[in-house]
Structure formats: C-alpha cells, structure tokens
Amino acid sequence: MRIVSVLFWVILSNYADRVFTQTCNATYPYSRCSSNLDCGCLPLTRSGNGGVCAYLNVPCTDLIPCENDNRTCTEARQVCVKHSRCQNIPLCYPLDMIHPNLCPPTTFRPSSSGSNNDLCETTTWQQQGITILGTNSTQPIWNPYDDDEFFVDVDETIYIVDYRNDQVIKWKNWNSPGEIVAGNGSYGSANNQLDSPNSIAIKKDGTIFVCDAGNYRVQRWYKNAQQGQTIIDNIYCTSLALDQEESLYIGSPGLIIKWPGNQIVAGGNDVGTKLNQLGYLPRIFIDQNQSIFVADEGNRVVKWTIGAREGIVVAGNNKAGNDSSQLNGPRSVFVDQMENVYIADTKNQRVVRWLKGLSSGTVIVDLKITDQYFDPISFSFGRNGNLFVLDKYIARVQMFTIDKNTCARG
Ligand SMILES: *[C@@H]1O[C@H](CO)[C@@H](O)[C@H](O)[C@H]1NC(C)=O
Ligand SMILES: *[C@@H]1O[C@H](CO)[C@@H](O)[C@H](O)[C@H]1NC(C)=O
Ligand SMILES: *[C@@H]1O[C@H](CO)[C@@H](O)[C@H](O)[C@H]1NC(C)=O
Ligand SMILES: *[C@@H]1O[C@H](CO)[C@@H](O)[C@H](O)[C@H]1NC(C)=O
Ligand SMILES: *[C@@H]1O[C@H](CO)[C@@H](O)[C@H](O)[C@H]1NC(C)=O
Ligand SMILES: *[C@@H]1O[C@H](CO)[C@@H](O)[C@H](O)[C@H]1NC(C)=O
C-alpha cells in the first residue's frame, strides 16, 4: 500500500495532468470522488473536464491565484484549479491536499439496469426538492399521520399507505388523481376493508401485502382485486418487506417473522434495546443476502444476518441526537448493494447515509434547510436513484433528483 502511494506521488509530480484526468470527472465541480467525504472534484484549468480529487477543507486564504495565464503555478508541488467557492480566478492547490492518502480513490461497482443500481457511496442528490404530489392544503392528497408509509416502484408509481383513511392510494401518473388499490376508505374488518394500515410491500406481479394493524392481520390484495385475504392473523404488524425471492418479512413489536413458514427471524426476546431485542415499532428492509435491517425506537439501525441470534448496530447509538453518530426517530431504512445504509432520520429532518463499516453518517438531504417544517416520515428510491420523501407536515411527496455524474465507474 505504501509503495503504491509513493509511486503515485512520483507519477503525480511528473505527469500531473495525465494522472489527474484519470482521477476524477469534474463536469460538476465538487462532486464526490473519494471515500473521504471531505474531498471533492476540482476542475484542473489545464484539462477540459479533468479534475483532481482534493481535500476541500483548505482555507481559501491559504490558496494563491495561479499565474497570469490562469494555468500554471510557480510554486513547486501545486496545481492550478478552479475553486469558485473561494474565488472566481483559478487558484494554486497544494499537491499534499490531493494525495490519495487523504482522498482515497473509491472503487465502484459497475452499473447495471434496474432499480437503485445507480446508488453508490459517492452519489449525491439535488438539495432542493420538487413537490410532485400534494400541494393543495385545503384538500390534502391523504390524511397524514405518523405511521403512514409510502413506496415507489420501479416505474416511479407512488403508493401511500393512508393510515387514517384506512386505504392504500396509488398514483401512476403524478398529475392525475390517485386510485385506491386496497381498502375502501372506511375502517372495518370486512374483506374489502382495512383498519389503520401502516405499511405495504408489493410483488413484481402487482400483488400488494398490507400491514392491517388495527385488524391485527396481514392482508394480501392481488392486483386489481376488490378485496383481500388474510395471510397472517393475530399479529400487530408494523412494517413489511420482501426479499429477492419475494418471501415476506413482517415486523411486529420486538420481532420479525418470515412468511410463508412464519418463523421468527430476528428478535423474539421481548421489546427492548439489547442486541437480541427489537423495539416496539420495527421498520424493516431486506437486502440481497436476506440480511434484515431494522430501524427502531432505539435510535439505531441493526442488521440481523441469516440465522443470527442478535443484531449488529450499523447506524445510531441508542441515544437520540443530531450529531453525525446519532439518529433521532429513524423511521425508514434502505440498503444499497454496497451495504451502505440510508435512513429517514425523521426528527432531525434529514435523510442520512451511513457507509458500510463507519460509525457515523453523512446527511444526503437536509430538509430543514429548505423547509423549516419538513417532517420526513418515509422515503424511497425510484428507478433512476431519484430520492422520494413523504412529508407529513404538508402532506406531500418531494423528489430529490439524483446527480448522475456522482457515481463514478471503474
Ligand atoms: C484569468 O482569469 C480571469 C478571471 O476569470 C480573467 O479576467 C483573465 O482574463 C484571465 N487571464 C487569462 C490570461 O486568461
Ligand atoms: C384545492 O382543493 C379545493 C377543494 O377541493 C379546490 O376547490 C381547489 O380548486 C383546489 N386547488 C388546487 C390548486 O388544486
Ligand atoms: C366499505 O365496505 C363496507 C363493507 O363491505 C361497507 O359497509 C361500507 O359501506 C363501504 N364503505 C365505503 C365508503 O364504500
Ligand atoms: C443540533 O442541535 C443543536 C441543539 O438544538 C443545535 O444547536 C445544532 O445546530 C444542531 N446541529 C445540527 C448539525 O443540526
Ligand atoms: C452478500 O454476501 C456475500 C458473500 O458473503 C458478500 O460478499 C456480499 O458483500 C454481501 N452483500 C451484501 C449486500 O450484504
Ligand atoms: C464526465 O461526466 C459527464 C457528465 O456525466 C459526461 O458527459 C462526460 O462524458 C464525462 N467525461 C469523462 C471524461 O468521463
């Protein structure tokens, strides 16, 4: 490793441009380029889109303008970059601050088609959301409640689980009225009704599973059906998720059950915050290895691998808070193929990403900056990696467009 770095250093000093152009694509300045999130891509003045992956926390006052040609630096071990956050004119950047020891390159998984394959540890999103559903305060699109959840499928069709109105609403076209796809809008226990539903999972064939919490049952509604069937009875259901084989996982106070079979696959040791326990309202996600990720009131996300007797904390630390190692009221969790964990950190009004193995996270969208009262109770990624967030405060769905360039290939 050390030899590689030294070699890189030598190459860097001698053939700067060539190495740099390979280092990052600066079409979008400051885009992520390293596993160190304090680094960003700065455009080199001498090479088109080519950039250097630079440590960005260098005070602007330490950077001197490039020579009059705006391309060269007289000082040894410096390169001329554009750094508009500091100054409009190109500046000389110290080579030490672009050393790969400081900004280690990241290897990325290759892209492939399908949902969420564009996510990686450097992906970024536009910070200003676009409201795509629900702008009418006199007639909200649903009746917001803390336990609502939503789901965005690969077509970017949106489903909202409307707890208070006892139904599931679907928007295939964001500009048209929604269509009720489960429940009939009045609570009850008939086959065509739901009572306080709080989560759904949807199979590829369009079958919808519903946590019918108030009826203590899990319902299955086939596509276009007028009524559902009970697949599990006598359970207070808090969350649903499917694995890649389309087995269903059901969160319930203190435990997770897998259906069919109904075996307990996580928790089962009373409600609590020990590693072998789960909270009262576990929210779940299942990854491609059938590991179960649970966000609960312990202000944490725990991972249970197949057959595990206890979970491993992968985000949060049980104490509610807003520093980067803490969560406050996590309600919704998603895990990408590199095992990075995304969480709706609801009471902190942000969506965060915890890279695999790290003990702190970074904010990927900070909702209180643009909207003081944003209450993000659920989130989901669409086909292209666009981030959708359900806002309870205004009863709306906002979309945060993915910055396509930020997931480098290689
Ligand atoms: C250098 O950049 C500044 C600011 O963009 C510009 O005003 C000036 O003309 C440039 N000089 C040359 C030689 O390109
Ligand atoms: C909002 O809903 C009210 C009540 O249904 C309706 O009169 C009004 O036209 C709607 N406004 C918009 C902008 O859709
Ligand atoms: C919903 O279905 C129940 C039972 O079938 C029925 O009694 C009720 O009137 C229906 N409600 C609506 C709003 O259609
Ligand atoms: C965390 O909360 C404290 C106290 O409310 C506040 O002063 C601080 O700005 C917050 N920090 C962040 C990163 O939001
Ligand atoms: C799945 O398991 C394989 C083999 O143990 C491992 O290499 C891979 O990183 C795991 N992937 C995820 C998303 O956990
Ligand atoms: C850099 O990214 C832009 C935008 O994604 C793309 O059009 C361009 O081809 C890329 N350039 C290189 C050298 O990869």
Side-chain angles (χ1 to χ4, degrees):
M1 192 63 204
R2 190 161 161 258
I3 295 170
V4 172
S5 304
V6 170
L7 251 181
F8 192 94
W9 180 271
V10 172
I11 295 169
L12 203 65
S13 321
N14 293 325
Y15 302 103
D17 278 3
R18 213 166 69 210
V19 173
F20 293 159
T21 340
Q22 289 162 12
T23 306
C24 63
N25 180 343
T27 303
Y28 298 94
Y30 306 107
S31 56
R32 295 271 188 243
C33 54
S34 167
S35 54
N36 181 348
L37 299 181
D38 287 329
C39 300
C41 194
L42 290 180
L44 272 171
T45 51
R46 301 177 64 171
S47 111
N49 284 340
V52 284
C53 189
Y55 183 72
L56 295 175
N57 292 346
V58 176
C60 292
T61 47
D62 288 0
L63 305 175
I64 55 160
C66 304
E67 287 306 293
N68 291 335
D69 63 359
N70 286 336
R71 288 164 62 89
T72 44
C73 296
T74 41
E75 189 104 5
R77 315 196 73 75
Q78 296 205 332
V79 284
C80 184
V81 298
K82 292 185 194 139
H83 194 340
S84 57
R85 285 183 194 164
C86 281
Q87 266 204 53
N88 285 332
I89 54 168
L91 297 172
C92 289
Y93 217 79
L95 284 173
D96 305 17
M97 294 296 137
I98 52 185
H99 194 271
N101 281 351
L102 197 57
C103 298
T106 325
T107 45
F108 302 98
R109 87 196 133 70
S111 81
S112 55
S113 60
S115 178
N116 305 322
N117 282 335
D118 286 328
L119 300 189
C120 67
E121 52 199 77
T122 57
T123 306
T124 58
W125 288 264
Q126 293 291 305
Q127 297 297 298
Q128 181 66 57
I130 304 161
T131 299
I132 55 161
L133 275 184
T135 43
N136 191 339
S137 56
T138 55
Q139 194 181 35
I141 51 165
W142 94 101
N143 192 349
Y145 183 70
D146 276 339
D147 284 354
D148 298 324
E149 192 192 57
F150 87 142
F151 180 84
V152 179
D153 75 11
V154 289
D155 297 330
E156 298 193 332
T157 295
I158 293 174
Y159 297 78
I160 294 181
V161 187
D162 187 354
Y163 180 100
R164 281 188 166 148
N165 286 338
D166 310 291
Q167 60 194 1
V168 178
I169 316 168
K170 167 183 171 180
W171 284 264
K172 182 134 189 83
N173 177 342
W174 302 339
N175 298 315
S176 304
E179 169 200 353
I180 296 177
V181 291
N184 76 346
S186 69
Y187 75 91
S189 59
N191 289 342
N192 65 336
Q193 291 180 302
L194 299 170
D195 182 356
S196 309
N198 57 12
S199 184
I200 53 169
I202 303 175
K203 284 176 63 169
K204 292 190 195 78
D205 70 4
T207 301
I208 303 175
F209 295 104
V210 189
C211 261
D212 191 6
N215 284 323
Y216 289 83
R217 65 187 186 184
V218 179
Q219 295 295 92
R220 174 177 56 200
W221 288 62
Y222 288 118
K223 190 174 186 180
N224 301 326
Q226 298 303 305
Q227 58 181 48
Q229 304 122 17
T230 302
I231 60 162
I232 305 178
D233 221 336
N234 297 317
I235 187 170
Y236 186 75
C237 175
T238 63
S239 177
L240 294 177
L242 291 165
D243 67 15
Q244 294 203 327
E245 293 161 4
E246 301 204 313
S247 291
L248 184 68
Y249 294 69
I250 301 110
S252 183
L255 54 91
I256 311 298
I257 287 169
K258 183 176 176 182
W259 178 89
N262 295 354
Q263 71 271 34
I264 295 177
V265 288
N269 300 300
D270 290 336
V271 169
T273 54
K274 291 191 194 130
L275 287 177
N276 69 347
Q277 296 180 314
L278 296 172
Y280 189 76
L281 287 172
R283 303 279 179 150
I284 58 178
F285 178 86
I286 315 299
D287 79 1
Q288 59 198 5
N289 288 354
Q290 298 179 327
S291 293
I292 304 163
F293 291 79
V294 187
D296 68 19
E297 312 91 89
N299 295 302
R300 61 179 187 177
V301 175
V302 282
K303 173 184 179 183
W304 288 64
T305 51
I306 291 186
R309 294 175 160 268
E310 61 177 34
I312 305 158
V313 175
V314 293
N317 64 2
N318 286 334
K319 257 180 88 179
N322 71 353
D323 75 35
S324 62
S325 67
Q326 295 177 309
L327 300 170
N328 191 353
R331 298 189 67 86
S332 187
V333 57
F334 172 85
V335 181
D336 71 20
Q337 293 188 17
M338 301 186 70
E339 292 181 70
N340 304 312
V341 181
Y342 301 75
I343 307 149
D345 188 8
T346 303
K347 290 183 190 156
N348 285 328
Q349 296 174 276
R350 60 193 187 186
V351 181
V352 292
R353 170 175 52 207
W354 287 55
L355 299 183
K356 187 189 176 187
L358 296 193
S359 52
S360 63
T362 46
V363 178
I364 61 167
V365 292
D366 194 343
L367 303 160
K368 62 189 169 301
I369 288 180
T370 44
D371 286 279
Q372 201 181 347
Y373 297 110
F374 212 115
D375 192 359
I377 55 173
S378 185
F379 75 97
S380 194
F381 290 107
R383 173 181 42 208
N384 298 318
N386 293 328
L387 169 65
F388 294 81
V389 183
L390 187 69
D391 175 20
K392 188 191 101 177
Y393 190 80
I394 300 188
R396 63 180 170 172
V397 175
Q398 280 217 318
M399 178 175 78
F400 297 82
T401 312
I402 190 170
D403 294 329
K404 273 294 174 192
N405 65 309
T406 54
C407 214
R409 313 292 179 206

